[in-house]
Amino acid sequence: AYKYVLNQNKDKKAGDKLTPDEKVKLMSKYVGYDISPDMDRLSRVNMYLHGFPTPKIYEYDTLTSEDRWNESYDVILANPPFMTPKGGIKPHKKFFVQSKRAEVLFLDYIIQHLNLKGRAGVIVPEGVILSNDSANVQLRKILVEQNQLEAIIALPHFCFKPYASVATFIIIFKRGGGTKQVWMGQVKHDGYTSDINRDVKSENDIPDLLHQWKERNSLNYSPVNGKHAWVSAEQIKEANYELAPRSFLLKRQTKHMYPLIELGSICTISKGKSSAAKNIPGKYPLVTTAEDLKTNVDYQFAGEAVCVPLVSSTGHGHASIKRLTYINDKFAAASIVAVLQVKDQSQVLTKYLYYFLESHKDDILVTLKKGAANVGFNVTKTSGVKISIPTISKQQSIIRELNKI
């Protein structure tokens, strides 16, 4: 942060536009806390080596101690620890939200210790962004309704390797006021490989995202589907204050010519009952997330069905669906698959349902997926999905044309 300020005030070299007194005053404004005495000492030595004569780094437990509770700041930058000790944290009573989880309490602490109109940039795990437990929902509601939430940026799950592999997000907000809209961005490539070696590679979304961030309020700004866009506070409230960019950025604005009907009203939706790995082979097809069907000794379903993977098909920390499965037989389904069976074929044909969901899986189904490592969604989530239903004759025509491909 200090180097950034110097680079913003340079002519030929960093900080040369600042007087010596201004630099000393600037150095006196930086404050840091750490619960670990070792990290406290290392941080002070590091700042001293960078020219800070009296580093203000303190050994302090921000979550259980009240000694420095009255201190507040204009800017807070933090990548707080996500780990919660066994049994949870036992915080004092000054937090907005009652919780024992470290990530919730740290964000609560940061909100309360910003000066009015002060600004914060904080890295948080996916639970803070998506979890439906009362503490996380309340915290997100405070961010949206009582503060100016400026941005949510999703980072790739591997960006902190080799130390951790977890879905993380950057939250940027100002203290006070209220939120009208939030700028959301998605980083899929950070310029390094996704393995533990983290070698440099050419794919890097960050330079363009930084450019779009600077342009977000200009007349030249144009959102890009799946990458960045403005999201209204009303949209966020309708989503129970969930803040995952993929839930909004992947929703294409498709114009539907036909009525939209919820899946739950036209289908029975069940979870598969068989193990994908420990099943006993037999004469009945077994639907898993793989392209080829396995076999099973017995069956749980009969007739036409559309099978939807409940877990991501591309591995750790990534939301995706490679394929759906259409089947018309007596069959078994793995417990990682949702089985959709049409209630009334005079209203919608199963094969049409399959083609519709297959063609819209990225903008309808993938946006339902949650999870930091094992990304997936609950069976009940699919019941609210709306699909476009034309007449039966039109459905039959669509099926005939797509069957030819």
Side-chain angles (χ1 to χ4, degrees), residues 79-84 101-103 106 123-125 160 166-169:
N79 179 10
F82 304 154
M83 186 190 72
T84 299
R101 296 200 60 82
E103 64 270 21
F106 274 119
I123 293 176
V124 298
F160 289 110
V166 60
T168 50
F169 301 77

Side-chain angles (χ1 to χ4, degrees), residues 17 54 58 62 108 142 144 169 183 189 196 210 256 272 318-319 333 349 362-363 390 397:
K17 288 185 177 181
T54 54
Y58 304 106
T62 54
D108 186 324
I142 290 170
V144 173
F169 301 77
W183 192 79
H189 306 285
I196 61 172
L210 289 173
H256 295 283
H318 188 261
L349 301 174
D362 287 337
D363 50 304
S397 175

